[in-house]
Amino acid sequence: MNAPHPPKVAGIDSTVPTPAHTVAPVPPAPGTPPVPKPPAAPAPGAVLQDRLAGWVSDLTTLHELTERLARTDGLEPALQELLRAGAALVGARRGLVALEPADGLGPHTTIGLGLGRADLGHMETVPRGALPYDTGGTAAEIVHADLFAEDCLDPRHREVAVRLGYAASYALPLTTDAAARLGAVVWLYDEPAEPNERQRHLIGLYVRHSAEHLARLLEVERTRACMATIAEELLPSRLPRVAGVQLAARHRTGPRGGGDWYDALPLPDAALGLAVGSVTGSGPSAVAAMGRLRASLRAYAVMEGEDPVAVLSDLELLLRLTEPARSATALFAYCEPALRKVTLAGAGHSPPLLIGERRTEFAETSVSAPLGMLACWEAPSVEIQAEAGETVLFYTDGLLHRTGDPMDRAFARLHTAAASIPRTLRRDPGAIADHVLRTVLPDGLDSADSEEDVVLLAARFD
């Protein structure tokens, strides 16, 4: 008679007790290898812990990568960081990002990782619709797990892939809710491959965050470009041609736009008016004030340019009446090229530099306060008698401030740079200005982002 079974409960397997008459298991014979036991199933808690550890690792990786991206303060460094971090996430070695804002306002650029300029040029020869990163304006990814196994691959794309040595690609669009499409990024594999599900999830999160950061940097870049364009438009588009003197100017604008300016205008009796100056502050208001001040000085120069003190006195009165909360430095020179004579007056401005074969020295101008600092400005003018072949170099204080040195050392650096100009360059005022810029501001400081504007105006007398 069979023994009764205990009742079954849903979800639980009842255990049947071993009958008392069950025979004990026979021990294995000597020399017989033991029978391996089946592996024990992992406990549910251990599986959950492994998953949590994987999630924490992924979140930590994303946090570190996004922190590195957030520390970039320029568009190009951010694009480079996007390529490097993305390559690590998807297991690729090379890639490129194409910045092509959908609004058409630019800037448009293509940056490669592990790809030279020639490689990027080859990539651009692929028809637009066949590019590995052309998502067609959609938010979808583009996966080419094995390019050479695809029958519908564009022939030119196949040629470029063979030339550059990549066999697979993975691309994602750069899109944001506010700025729409910014471009696309693609990573290239040397062998047939594609990212797995986990890698796609991570790179998708990272690229979405990157697109938002790039959109902010893009807006900053556009603002900087706009300010630089406005500042350049307010300055002379070309320098006048006057017999007996050659002119050259160099201008470097800060990222927010500054108030440094220069001017050169023909005056009656074959004379020439030269001016440099700087308005305090930065941004749109400083640029606008600079434009108003320069336009006013031109009018005063035409009416009474032969008296530089009168010109600056009128300018000081105008500044106090129209810009009471702002001050400015200025230097105006009345040049007579036929006589090689320069009469100048300065208001808080650095003295010009005379550069010639036999001398390199600062002009001895009188010490005076900037415009708008005193109730009434006036300072005596000085005369400079230049020799044939000598150059008078005007500049703004931004040239000295960008060095980061104390003013006495900055002046010494400027003097040394002017004295070291090769003889072959002294006939060209543009070459003189370039040499001074490169020497006083080495290692790209002349073009790097700085709060200080830089202006150089060189006048070489025949």
Side-chain angles (χ1 to χ4, degrees), residues 144-156:
H144 293 290
D146 189 350
L147 286 167
F148 304 112
E150 298 182 11
D151 297 332
C152 59
L153 189 66
D154 184 270
R156 181 55 187 165

Side-chain angles (χ1 to χ4, degrees), residues 29-404:
T32 304
V35 179
K37 295 181 179 181
V47 175
L48 181 59
Q49 287 181 354
D50 290 343
R51 290 182 179 178
L52 287 176
W55 293 339
V56 170
S57 175
D58 291 345
L59 289 175
T60 302
T61 301
L62 281 177
H63 176 73
E64 292 176 354
L65 294 179
T66 53
E67 282 290 314
R68 284 167 48 183
L69 181 68
R71 287 194 291 268
T72 58
D73 56 359
L75 199 55
E76 184 169 344
L79 294 174
Q80 292 283 7
E81 179 60 31
L82 165 63
L83 284 173
R84 286 192 296 267
L89 288 175
V90 301
R93 191 171 59 89
R94 294 180 292 172
L96 67 91
V97 57
L99 192 66
E100 300 173 347
D103 56 15
L105 300 179
H108 293 73
T109 185
T110 302
I111 294 178
L113 173 67
L115 298 173
R117 290 183 176 272
D119 299 331
L120 296 177
H122 288 305
M123 190 73 75
E124 291 176 355
T125 62
V126 178
R128 182 70 183 180
L131 284 168
Y133 56 86
D134 183 31
T135 58
T138 67
E141 62 182 14
I142 296 181
V143 183
H144 293 290
D146 189 350
L147 286 167
F148 304 112
E150 298 182 11
D151 297 332
C152 59
L153 189 66
D154 184 270
R156 181 55 187 165
H157 187 185
R158 190 185 304 275
E159 293 176 12
V160 170
V162 171
R163 178 183 289 270
L164 301 187
Y166 68 90
S169 64
Y170 179 72
L172 284 173
L174 295 171
T175 59
T176 65
D177 295 335
R181 179 181 170 86
L182 301 177
V185 58
V186 59
W187 291 277
L188 308 175
Y189 298 89
D190 297 340
E191 302 292 338
E194 63 178 298
N196 57 36
E197 183 178 355
R198 171 178 167 272
Q199 291 174 321
R200 292 187 185 185
H201 177 67
L202 290 178
I203 193 61
L205 294 175
Y206 181 73
V207 167
R208 282 196 292 272
H209 175 82
S210 301
E212 297 291 342
H213 183 63
L214 291 174
R216 292 189 290 269
L217 292 178
L218 183 64
E219 191 64 29
V220 173
E221 189 76 15
R222 288 176 174 176
T223 302
R224 289 179 177 179
C226 181
M227 292 304 303
T229 301
I230 293 174
E232 292 295 336
E233 289 296 326
L234 290 174
L235 295 175
S237 58
R238 61 176 182 173
L239 296 173
R241 293 181 177 272
V242 178
V245 65
Q246 303 175 52
L247 300 176
R250 299 294 183 265
H251 184 215
R252 300 291 186 268
T253 305
R256 295 190 298 172
D260 286 19
W261 52 276
Y262 67 93
D263 205 352
L265 68 157
L267 296 175
D269 301 325
L272 177 69
L274 300 176
V276 290
S278 177
V279 177
T280 56
S282 60
S285 62
V287 174
M290 175 266 286
R292 291 191 293 268
L293 207 64
R294 172 179 169 264
S296 301
L297 186 139
R298 291 177 69 91
Y300 299 145
V302 170
M303 292 186 295
E304 46 193 3
E306 67 280 358
D307 186 357
V309 172
V311 172
L312 293 187
S313 296
D314 293 342
L315 196 64
E316 196 273 342
L317 178 60
L318 176 73
L319 187 68
R320 283 196 293 113
L321 294 176
T322 60
E323 306 277 351
R326 198 181 297 276
S327 63
T329 65
L331 189 148
F332 178 74
Y334 180 78
C335 303
E336 300 173 81
L339 303 176
R340 293 194 291 274
K341 186 174 75 171
V342 180
T343 306
L344 60 88
H349 207 83
S350 299
L353 187 60
L354 277 74
I355 305 171
E357 294 289 341
R358 294 185 294 177
R359 61 174 176 172
T360 299
E361 60 188 28
F362 292 100
E364 296 184 2
T365 57
S366 57
V367 178
S368 60
L371 302 176
M373 297 293 289
L374 301 178
C376 182
W377 175 90
E378 186 168 336
S381 61
V382 297
E383 287 189 3
I384 299 174
Q385 186 63 52
E387 298 180 3
E390 287 191 330
T391 298
V392 181
L393 181 68
F394 305 90
Y395 54 92
T396 59
D397 290 345
L399 176 66
L400 306 174
H401 292 159
R402 277 204 189 192
T403 63

Side-chain angles (χ1 to χ4, degrees), residues 447-459:
S447 58
D449 285 348
S450 171
E451 298 299 322
E452 299 289 343
D453 283 8
V454 175
V455 163
L456 279 82
L457 178 62

Side-chain angles (χ1 to χ4, degrees), residues 245-248 355 357 388-391 421-433 458-462:
V245 65
Q246 303 175 52
L247 300 176
I355 305 171
E357 294 289 341
E390 287 191 330
T391 298
I421 298 174
R423 181 171 298 180
T424 55
L425 301 181
R426 292 178 180 266
R427 295 180 176 273
D428 182 1
I432 291 175
R460 183 185 182 275
F461 291 90
D462 297 337

